[in-house]
Amino acid sequence: YALARLVDPVGCAATWRWNLNTLKHLHAYQSSPLFLAACAMLAVERVVYTVVWCYPKAWLRFTRGVLRDTYFYGAGDNVVDVIYKFFKINKCFQGGGFALLYFLAAPAIRLGEISLFQWVVGANLVALGQALNVGIYRSIGKVGVYYGYKYGMSVPWCTGFPFNVCCAHPQYLGSALTAYGLVLLAATDAHVLRGWGGLAHVQALQYAYMSFVEHNL
């Protein structure tokens, strides 16, 4: 960040302007149908995972009954496999929410219009976020990531990376950092005025909500 600010003060100033405009124009975009639709698409994943975490018995009945012998629960699948398949669907909604707002709000940024500051800071946020996400998968595996603990499966207890460098929910932090990085890389003045930066904040708040659910419910 310091290096990017030094070599590209104009790009840094634009980023600060976007941050200020995200808050300054909150009233203008927070109730727009486009922004609300994008937020709702992001929330689909949170709704599914809340049910999976808080109501494991009901989820098991649903998967073994309604979903039996479907794509979601095929031969040889267990509950974690089902959750993982829902994860892939959820990511389509999540990516679709960002794409919906971005491509309908304003013309997409051209590659040559991305400032050096955006490249350096945005790419670093994405890289850091993905390092945390990969670290989670390597440390506790698919069963740990997709709530196998709630369904009686053995999950390794990890005190190493990435749990020893940041917080109790490094995967959620990594996902939020990735979202902020991608939003910064694609940001323009027109998109920010339609809620592009605000959508990244919504994503982060939804991950904070899920952290609360896993800690307290």
Side-chain angles (χ1 to χ4, degrees), residues 3-208:
L3 177 63
R5 181 176 182 179
L6 179 66
V7 299
D8 185 14
V10 175
C12 179
T15 301
W16 280 106
R17 183 177 69 251
W18 294 333
N19 287 330
L20 293 174
N21 283 340
T22 294
L23 298 176
K24 182 179 179 181
H25 296 279
L26 175 63
H27 65 282
Y29 63 76
Q30 67 178 348
S31 59
S32 71
L34 186 60
F35 182 76
L36 292 176
C39 291
M41 293 180 73
L42 298 188
V44 170
E45 184 175 48
R46 305 280 70 81
V47 172
V48 172
Y49 285 161
T50 298
V51 172
V52 170
W53 180 265
C54 294
Y55 306 100
K57 292 182 180 179
W59 180 260
L60 275 177
R61 289 195 300 269
F62 172 69
T63 56
R64 292 174 177 175
V66 177
L67 300 182
R68 174 67 70 179
D69 297 327
T70 67
Y71 159 77
F72 292 99
Y73 205 138
D77 285 342
N78 58 38
V79 65
V80 169
D81 296 318
V82 176
I83 296 170
Y84 176 68
K85 290 177 182 179
F86 269 91
F87 161 81
K88 293 191 288 186
I89 302 296
N90 291 335
K91 286 304 174 186
C92 291
F93 276 100
Q94 200 173 72
F98 279 100
L100 176 73
L101 178 62
Y102 191 78
F103 290 107
L104 294 184
I109 191 171
R110 293 188 178 90
L111 198 62
E113 297 173 340
I114 303 176
S115 70
L116 180 61
F117 185 89
Q118 287 174 268
W119 275 119
V120 174
V121 177
N124 272 277
L125 287 172
V126 172
L128 177 58
Q130 289 306 298
L132 294 174
N133 285 339
V134 171
I136 284 287
Y137 276 87
R138 291 175 64 89
S139 62
I140 62 175
K142 181 179 178 180
V143 172
V145 171
Y146 297 108
Y147 300 159
Y149 153 76
K150 297 290 287 187
Y151 297 88
M153 298 181 180
S154 178
V155 178
W157 185 258
C158 177
T159 57
F161 181 81
F163 293 96
N164 61 349
V165 297
C166 54
C167 63
H169 295 279
Q171 182 184 2
Y172 293 152
L173 177 60
S175 297
L177 290 175
T178 299
Y180 278 121
L182 293 174
V183 164
L184 175 58
L185 282 167
T188 68
D189 286 302
H191 285 94
V192 168
L193 293 178
R194 299 292 298 277
W196 182 236
L199 195 60
H201 295 327
V202 169
Q203 176 84 313
L205 288 172
Q206 289 187 4
Y207 281 124

